[in-house]
């Protein structure tokens, strides 16, 4: 229930009236700040070590690969354990990997293969993190409040895509090892904040792991709406949004601007993403939200084509704002629609596919 004594919040922030969700949201603020800083730092480090776009792409692939092969398994695992405990373990795992990177950088031992191995481990933890967050919030809120909470969760991610790259740039300028140490501290704060949340006991087991995995796949296969949403999401996420991982290459070889401008490029994209998620938070209850998602998907494609051919820094910044709005509105609305049409007992398994 909403906390007593709080003033009525604007519609876009209504879910923050729930005490448990406020605690969760605050914890995830620090966690996503760490993850967003980590994205910038690892991309910079991979390109700085080698000057190779291929090496950068390999590091990015290593982080994403576990999220392609583990989703259904992690979706089932989330149902079989206390969700708060798993969230705590995820934060401390992220922090441990960031600390290891800081030590390797400070000792001068860091190499691309270290980034690949650490990326694989981080990707494995990330494959648990997303369905965990959806499942925990799904147990706190229902209906339109859940739709609003889903959008607000992505809003805090995008708030950090503005703030975290700027922080990453500031700390990189002083010391890459210090920057990764700050990331470690952010994950520790997130974990400590999670201890204020109540436990979320496991759901009753419905049989062997393979049975629950099959049940999730069968539900998606029988539901044309979910099939369509997953197909649209794949097109956007696999073929569109990964461009941001290659901004160090655009910065150095296409736009020909200095290292300080890299943080600005990421932050500008994040500013647009923040606007996109706030837009969805406002429109989450709109009856024509499916059409909103389709329109933003088209806008994302057009914006990417324009960004691919621009050679001017200021034009690139304007296009990154547009891409941020369109990309985040598209993916956020997709998550909202999937959550609303999936029964709670299947949400962790279905959302693990997204």
């Amino acid at each position: 229930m909403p906390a007593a004594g709080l003033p009525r919040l604007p519609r876009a922030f209504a879910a923050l009236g729930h005490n448990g969700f406020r605690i969760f949201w605050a914890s995830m603020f620090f966690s996503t700040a760490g993850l967003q800083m980590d994205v910038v730092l690892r991309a910079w480090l991979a390109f700085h070590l080698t000057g190779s776009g291929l090496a950068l792409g390999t590091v990015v692939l290593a982080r994403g690969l576990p999220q392609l092969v583990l989703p259904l398994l992690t979706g089932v695992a989330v149902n079989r354990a206390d969700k708060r405990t798993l969230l705590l373990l995820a934060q401390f795992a992220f922090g441990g990997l960031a600390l290891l990177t800081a030590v390797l950088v400070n000792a001068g031992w860091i190499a691309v293969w270290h980034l690949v191995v650490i990326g694989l481990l981080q990707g494995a933890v990330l494959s648990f993190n997303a369905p965990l967050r959806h499942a925990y919030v799904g147990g706190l809120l229902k209906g339109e409040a859940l739709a609003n909470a889903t959008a607000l969760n992505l809003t805090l991610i995008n708030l950090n895509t503005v703030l975290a790259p700027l922080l990453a740039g500031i700390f990189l300028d002083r010391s890459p090892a210090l920057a990764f140490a700050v990331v470690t501290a952010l994950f520790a704060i997130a974990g400590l904040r999670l201890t204020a949340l109540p436990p979320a006991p496991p759901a009753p087991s419905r049989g062997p792991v393979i049975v629950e995995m099959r049940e999730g796949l069968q539900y998606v296969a029988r539901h044309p709406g979910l099939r369509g949403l997953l197909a649209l999401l794949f097109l956007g996420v696999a073929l569109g949004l990964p461009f941001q991982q290659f901004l160090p290459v655009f910065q150095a070889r296409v736009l020909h601007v200095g290292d300080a401008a890299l943080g600005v490029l990421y932050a500008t994209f994040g500013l647009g993403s923040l606007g996109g998620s706030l837009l969805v938070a406002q429109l989450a209850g709109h009856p024509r939200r499916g059409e909103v998602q389709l329109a933003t998907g088209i806008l994302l494609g057009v914006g990417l084509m324009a960004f691919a051919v621009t050679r001017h820094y200021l034009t690139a910044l304007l296009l990154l704002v547009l891409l941020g709005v369109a990309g985040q509105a598209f993916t956020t609305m997709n998550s909202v629609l999937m959550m609303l049409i999936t029964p709670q007992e299947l949400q962790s398994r279905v959302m693990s596919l997204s």
Side-chain angles (χ1 to χ4, degrees):
M1 295 297 293
L6 279 179
R8 184 175 177 84
L9 295 169
R11 183 178 179 182
F13 302 95
L16 290 174
H18 188 288
N19 185 56
F21 181 70
R22 274 202 317 281
I23 296 172
F24 176 86
W25 199 87
S27 171
M28 290 301 102
F29 175 84
F30 291 104
S31 178
T32 54
L35 286 170
Q36 292 296 332
M37 279 188 69
D38 189 87
V39 167
V40 177
L41 295 173
R42 290 186 189 281
W44 177 88
L45 197 53
F47 192 65
H48 179 77
L49 286 172
T50 64
S52 166
L54 178 61
L56 172 55
T58 303
V59 171
V60 172
L61 177 63
R63 190 172 185 261
L65 192 60
Q67 298 173 72
L68 292 176
V69 300
L70 293 178
L72 269 178
L73 178 60
T74 58
V76 173
V78 164
N79 275 343
R80 294 180 173 232
D82 183 281
K83 297 173 185 61
R84 187 192 67 166
T85 300
L86 289 179
L87 282 167
L88 279 165
L89 290 174
Q91 305 318 306
F92 291 120
F94 286 140
L97 292 171
L99 180 60
L100 175 60
T101 309
V103 170
L104 291 171
V105 171
N106 191 58
W109 299 336
I110 192 70
V112 170
W113 75 265
H114 293 129
L115 295 176
V116 171
V117 172
I118 292 171
L120 285 168
L121 294 172
Q122 190 182 65
V125 180
L126 278 168
S127 68
F128 282 89
N129 196 52
L132 265 174
R133 289 172 58 164
H134 287 301
Y136 193 91
V137 174
L140 290 175
L141 301 167
K142 300 290 182 290
E144 189 171 334
L146 176 59
N148 179 251
T150 302
L152 285 175
N153 274 336
L154 291 162
T155 297
L156 72 86
I157 292 174
N158 295 310
L159 178 61
N160 276 310
T161 59
V162 179
L163 301 176
L166 295 177
L167 285 175
I170 292 170
F171 286 110
L172 266 177
D173 190 51
R174 300 189 65 176
S175 163
L178 175 62
F180 279 105
V182 170
V183 173
T184 305
L186 288 170
F187 286 127
I189 294 170
L192 292 172
R193 193 73 185 98
L194 281 172
T195 59
L197 284 173
S205 175
R206 302 174 67 111
V209 170
I210 191 67
V211 172
E212 292 198 34
M213 292 171 63
R214 187 170 64 242
E215 187 179 39
L217 283 174
Q218 286 174 342
Y219 183 79
V220 172
R222 290 194 303 266
H223 201 299
L226 282 174
R227 294 200 306 271
L229 288 169
L230 283 170
L232 284 173
L233 185 65
F234 174 79
L235 290 173
V237 172
L239 304 180
L241 293 176
F243 86 93
Q244 61 187 295
Q245 306 287 348
F246 291 87
L247 285 179
V249 181
F250 276 89
Q251 165 247 322
R253 295 185 179 174
V254 178
L255 301 175
H256 302 293
V257 291
D259 289 339
L262 178 61
V264 177
L265 289 170
Y266 275 106
T268 303
F269 179 79
L271 184 63
S273 298
L274 176 60
S277 55
L278 285 172
L279 175 66
V280 176
Q282 183 66 32
L283 298 176
H286 197 281
R288 303 182 72 175
R289 50 196 165 210
E291 294 175 25
V292 173
Q293 189 209 18
L294 185 59
T296 54
I298 294 170
L299 187 61
L300 174 63
V302 172
L304 279 170
M305 288 188 286
F307 183 78
V309 299
T310 189
R311 297 293 182 271
H312 300 96
Y313 182 61
L314 291 179
T315 304
L317 291 179
L318 292 173
L319 287 171
L320 283 171
V321 172
L322 173 67
L323 288 169
V325 170
Q328 195 57 55
F330 176 78
T331 55
T332 304
M333 190 61 85
N334 192 284
S335 293
V336 167
L337 292 169
M338 288 183 66
M339 289 282 281
L340 288 176
I341 63 177
T342 304
Q344 183 182 342
E345 65 271 15
L346 290 169
Q347 280 180 358
S348 62
R349 280 168 280 177
V350 172
M351 296 307 294
S352 68
L353 297 172
S354 65

